[in-house]
Amino acid sequence: MKRILTLFSALTAVMGLSLNASSMTTIKLLQTSDIHGNFFPYNFITRQPSAGSLARVYGAVKEARQRYGDNVILLDNGDILQGQPTVYYYNFVDTVTPHVASRMMNFMRYDAGNVGNHDVETGRKVLERWSRQCDMPVLGANIIDTATGEPAFTPYKVVEHDGVKVAILGLLTPAIPAWLPEVLWKGLRFDDMEATARKWIPIIKERENPDVIVGVFHAGQRGNTLVKYRENPSLEIAERVPGFDVVLMGHDHRRENKKVVNVEGDTVLVMNPANNGVVLTDITMTFKRDDDGRIIDKHIDGELRHMSDYEPDADFMAKFAPDMAVIKEYVDTPIGEFTSSITTRDAYFGPSEFVDLIHELQLGITGADISFAAPLSYDATIDAGPITVSDMFNLYKYENMLYVMELTGQEVKDYLEEAYSLWSKTMTSPSDHLLLFKEEPTQGDESRSTLKNPSYNFDSAAGIIYEVDVRKPKGEKVTIKSMADGKEFDPARTYRVALNSYRGNGGGELLTKGAGIPHDKLTERIVFATDLDLRHYLTDYIKKQGKVNPRKLNQWRFIPEEWTREAAKRDYKILFPR
């Protein structure tokens, strides 16, 4: 009898565990964001091995599917169509073959993707071709077709696994008009993210009755207003708009994993994997059911998983080996020759061959009086010798177009005052820093996070001779001595100024906050715009020249030099310790 009772107890325990286990459902939610064309474990710009990549991410995805079966949701949060020659080639060179980004996302079986600002920057034709070729829906609830007043992309997607309904709402930062020319997004408008979330949450709840609502926001968490747009309201939405269980962020390339409490006292998980597929957002959602199968409790937690633990997936690499070979051949195409090496490292401390080459090319292409340009890549070098297509992506990182705008001499001066206030500290002694850091840095700090402002807003000028007095406050730093040819510089005269379309549309606020031109008046100042991206024209210019001799124009300087010379040496070691 004791044996029978013991056996009965054991069976009951096993059945109890089985019943208890069957009352629990686990869903995995994985997110990539800001991949920027980093599909392979190889950087086609530097021609070096690359960290992260979709090839490694796919290994983690396969592992999750082996463990959790179909209970895996894979999402992308935008900015996948710009950054590497891989996507540029299929965006603009080979427009007949199905887009490699679409084919890869289909192969990896993404459940949904979101639109990013750099996806819009490729132009509607590219964006819509990519989205049309994807098996997944591409989301964008606040991207409105002005002809219909309805969303131009799918507002939300519902994924259901084991009776658990997960609703996914996609939103994009609305600041597109502050960065991009209308020709790239003509026929669209970008509504405020919070207002759009407040509109769609009740609709989703009523229509779908989901168990979980996920916000996929291509926007950062730090609240800021750019011109009239709230660029990064993700955290504010998580806290202010009830209904979200998870908010997945992107855009600002900053890792985050935390929980916040919204206005109704509910907990919201907020995560951001940063960029390039180096880290994967990995969320575990566990649901407990009652005897009737109804969900009575849920637990959601997440971690940021480093893809360095994964080798590039062999199936992925084999599938897309032909694409990798095509891109390698494309980036190895010769363009011309540089007689000396150039680096952006010098550009923070005075004139540099790197930025001054951009100035010379912009002036040569347009015939403008003055050129504005910044080091778009924080730390880039192009060696002397043969120049190939890959070097052109190093020389000019983004697909900006080239503008010529009409600015008065005073507006030119005020523009530069704004630029150098983002860049240089007001020194009070020779021992001060020359550069404007977030805080007092220490040797060996990660330099990109040390600078207070992004280097792509550190514009200098060519075509004029000027000094920047680091002892003076903003508004008094810049003194323009003359035009580069020695002619008088007149604050009241109108000059033709060459600059990129990001800047010309208000990016960095150097024209609006600095020069004082209202954002809605910027287009009136544009007198010339290229049809294609500036890199295309730079490439053509170098091809025609054949051999290019990069040189410092030496048309501006920091003063007093007895202060700035030593400060530059100290700050260089902080920015570039290796």
Side-chain angles (χ1 to χ4, degrees), residues 123-124 180-186 401 403 530-531:
R124 288 194 67 175
L180 304 180
E182 187 177 357
V183 67
L184 296 176
W185 48 270
K186 191 173 179 61
M401 289 182 283
Y403 282 1
T530 57
D531 295 324

Side-chain angles (χ1 to χ4, degrees), residues 311-361:
E311 292 296 321
D313 180 77
D315 293 336
F316 183 100
M317 295 300 293
K319 174 73 174 178
F320 298 104
D323 297 279
M324 189 168 184
V326 166
I327 303 304
K328 276 191 171 182
E329 182 179 1
Y330 168 65
V331 299
D332 288 341
T333 303
I335 299 298
E337 182 181 347
F338 280 2
T339 58
S340 60
S341 300
I342 59 175
T343 176
T344 56
R345 290 189 173 195
D346 301 332
Y348 303 97
F349 309 102
S352 70
E353 290 92 344
F354 198 108
V355 174
D356 284 354
L357 176 60
I358 300 295
H359 283 311
E360 286 202 274
L361 295 178

